[in-house]
């Protein structure tokens, strides 16, 4: 086989009648400054992956600096989302992953977060409805987080803090089944359950 041939990686994309895709994300989102990540898990190349699913899934775990943890942000799941789109030209075309995260708070803590996140380089872990985590951010490119606030108007106007995130990546929001070290304990990126070390 030609050493440059990646065509064998393709598989049929089937869908069974009656199956449901639940849209949206779960409320709890995790974030960390990129400078607190010492090493990243790796995405397999098209030659290394054995399936299309593997091509979009990180191998290994994030390694964080001493005493650093993924911190949480509670987003309004009915007003938050993640999208991916293609950008650039072949052969340098990559994905632009975007996320809109709406947080209900506008108090001092939310405003202080807005001030810092507006100028920082943050990485986010967002959980799909089926419990799998996706990564917004990459080792190769910086993440741009723009934060806005609205105090609402009248008696029923919508108030909150909104994050508009743009993160270039070689893959549309990769899946991360590895360990997530949070302030409340370690969880699995595969489904959010308590982390169990596979080597133990």
């Amino acid at each position: 086989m030609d050493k440059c041939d990646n065509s064998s990686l393709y598989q049929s994309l089937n869908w069974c009648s009656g199956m449901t895709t639940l849209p949206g994300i779960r409320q709890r989102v995790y974030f960390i400054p990129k400078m607190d990540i010492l090493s990243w898990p790796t995405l397999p190349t098209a030659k290394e992956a054995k399936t299309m699913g593997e091509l979009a899934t990180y191998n290994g775990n994030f390694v964080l600096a001493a005493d650093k943890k993924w911190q949480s942000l509670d987003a309004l799941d009915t007003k938050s989302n993640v999208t991916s789109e293609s950008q650039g030209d072949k052969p340098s075309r990559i994905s632009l992953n975007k996320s809109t995260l709406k947080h209900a708070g506008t108090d001092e803590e939310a405003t202080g977060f807005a001030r810092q996140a507006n100028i920082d380089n943050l990485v986010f872990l967002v959980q799909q409805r089926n419990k799998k985590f996706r990564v917004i951010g990459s080792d190769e490119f910086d993440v741009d987080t723009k934060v806005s606030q609205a105090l609402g108007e009248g008696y029923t106007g919508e108030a909150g803090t909104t994050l508009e995130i743009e993160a270039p990546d070689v893959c549309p929001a990769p899946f991360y089944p590895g360990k997530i070290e949070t302030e409340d304990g370690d969880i699995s990126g595969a489904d959010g359950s308590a982390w169990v070390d596979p080597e133990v």
Side-chain angles (χ1 to χ4, degrees), residues 102-106 148-162:
K102 181 69 177 286
H103 174 71
T106 58
S148 61
Q149 282 192 329
L151 302 185
E153 59 185 19
Y155 299 111
T156 59
E158 187 175 4
T161 301
T162 302

Side-chain angles (χ1 to χ4, degrees), residues 83-98 166-173:
T83 62
S84 295
E85 61 188 50
S86 179
Q87 69 171 2
D89 299 313
K90 294 180 180 179
S92 301
R93 188 172 293 161
I94 59 174
S95 294
L96 180 59
N97 299 323
K98 298 181 180 181
E166 291 191 355
D169 202 338
V170 296
C171 179

Side-chain angles (χ1 to χ4, degrees), residues 127 130-133 176-178 180 187-193 195:
Q127 191 177 25
N130 65 2
K131 301 183 180 181
K132 297 178 181 180
F133 278 88
Y176 175 62
I180 304 173
I187 62 174
S188 169
D191 58 10
S193 63
W195 175 256

Side-chain angles (χ1 to χ4, degrees), residues 85-150:
E85 61 188 50
S86 179
Q87 69 171 2
D89 299 313
K90 294 180 180 179
S92 301
R93 188 172 293 161
I94 59 174
S95 294
L96 180 59
N97 299 323
K98 298 181 180 181
S99 181
T100 298
L101 302 176
K102 181 69 177 286
H103 174 71
T106 58
D107 56 11
E108 293 90 342
E109 288 77 12
T111 304
F113 175 88
R115 177 182 178 181
Q116 191 66 21
N118 209 36
I119 58 173
D120 210 343
N121 190 6
L122 300 176
V123 177
F124 297 84
L125 297 177
V126 178
Q127 191 177 25
Q128 296 183 155
R129 294 279 188 202
N130 65 2
K131 301 183 180 181
K132 297 178 181 180
F133 278 88
R134 310 283 294 265
V135 180
I136 310 297
S138 80
D139 190 22
E140 299 291 334
F141 309 100
D142 288 342
V143 179
D144 186 17
T145 303
K146 296 179 181 178
V147 188
S148 61
Q149 282 192 329

